[in-house]
Structure formats: structure tokens, C-alpha cells
Amino acid sequence: GSVPQGAQRVPVLALRFSAACSADATINSITLKHSGLGAVSDFLRVYAVQGTKRLTRGITVSARDPFVLSLPTPLKIAGCTSVDVVIDADLSPTALAASEHRFDVAADRRPPTPARGGHPGSALTRSQFRIVVRSSQQPRRNSHRPQRGVGIS
């Protein structure tokens, strides 16, 4: 899909974390990587959200991959259940048009153990999108969703 420059709370990746039935799980951080032809400077900040609750502070995406979103309060997952988390981003108003971006969970090289609990996060959606330039005659909205029936008076 396409999103306008300066859009906020753009969902760039949806994740589902599941705990094994044998033990509860705790998520302390989420390690992500950025790929695509767009510059990381197109993003002002990236953060994790669960529903309407923000789980992490917004961090800038560094050119060095992967990068880590640390959860100040660990996310607890009861055994045999799952938790959905969305990675949102705020785009720069000067993001380059036609830039293409993709975010993925960086693979954890250690196998899950009962002490750590659960299974690694799995991506529910692969998020690949392009930044578009909006005409200065269109109303500016803080959403990536297309606006229908909006006029300027």
C-alpha cells in the first residue's frame, strides 16, 4: 500500500506472540530489521502498540540493523494463549516519495526454552509500503487511511 508523507501511527508490522501450554511467557523486547530501498530517515519514530496502549517509547530507526524495541514493562503471556502486537511508525513530512520499506522480526538465533517460555513472535502480515506525496490542496490528516468525501471550504 501507499502512505502519505508525515503520516502517524502507520502500522508497519503485525505480530502474534504465543506462549507454550507448559509455561507462561514474558516478552522484554522485540528485535526488528528494516529493509527496502527507502532511507531509514523517512521515519521519525517506530514503536510497539497493543490495542490502543503503547508498549514502547518511540525510537529512531538506525541504519544499523537490527534494532531493538525495549518494553519498559514486560509483556506477560499466559500459557496456551497469544497476544497481538502492532509495530507502528510515524513518517517524516520530508520522507522521500516512492521510497519502499519493509519491516520484519529479526531472527533470534537461540532456540526457545521453557525458562524463556513461549515461541518467538511470528509476523501476521508482511508490511511493504510506498510513500506518496499528497497535493498541498488536499486536507492533511494524521492517518495513512485514504480519506473519502473530504472537501476544502
Side-chain angles (χ1 to χ4, degrees):
S2 297
V3 295
Q5 295 165 306
Q8 297 180 352
R9 290 197 73 148
V10 176
V12 297
L13 186 64
L15 303 170
R16 174 166 289 151
F17 293 98
S18 300
C21 290
S22 59
D24 293 348
T26 302
I27 305 295
N28 295 305
S29 63
I30 302 169
T31 304
L32 302 172
K33 65 180 186 173
H34 168 267
S35 58
L37 300 174
V40 293
S41 60
D42 286 344
F43 297 93
L44 296 176
R45 64 196 65 79
V46 176
Y47 43 92
V49 176
Q50 182 184 23
T52 58
K53 180 183 175 188
R54 201 175 202 175
L55 299 176
T56 64
R57 296 175 129 186
I59 65 165
T60 51
V61 179
S62 69
R64 189 186 87 229
D65 278 334
F67 61 97
V68 178
L69 292 172
S70 297
L71 282 72
T73 303
L75 182 62
K76 307 242 185 248
I77 307 168
C80 288
T81 65
S82 297
V83 171
D84 293 338
V85 173
V86 175
I87 306 302
D88 281 351
D90 296 341
L91 293 171
S92 169
T94 59
L96 295 176
S99 295
E100 293 184 359
H101 299 276
R102 180 181 171 133
F103 287 89
D104 290 298
V105 175
D108 186 351
R109 295 184 191 349
R110 298 170 295 170
T113 62
R116 288 179 48 218
H119 305 288
S122 58
L124 294 177
T125 60
R126 295 282 182 223
S127 184
Q128 185 169 349
F129 58 94
R130 177 175 291 175
I131 297 171
V132 296
V133 178
R134 295 186 115 181
S135 166
S136 60
Q137 295 176 342
Q138 292 179 333
R140 190 112 184 153
R141 303 290 292 212
N142 286 340
S143 173
H144 68 284
R145 294 176 193 90
Q147 301 296 317
R148 291 189 174 89
V150 178
I152 301 174
S153 52

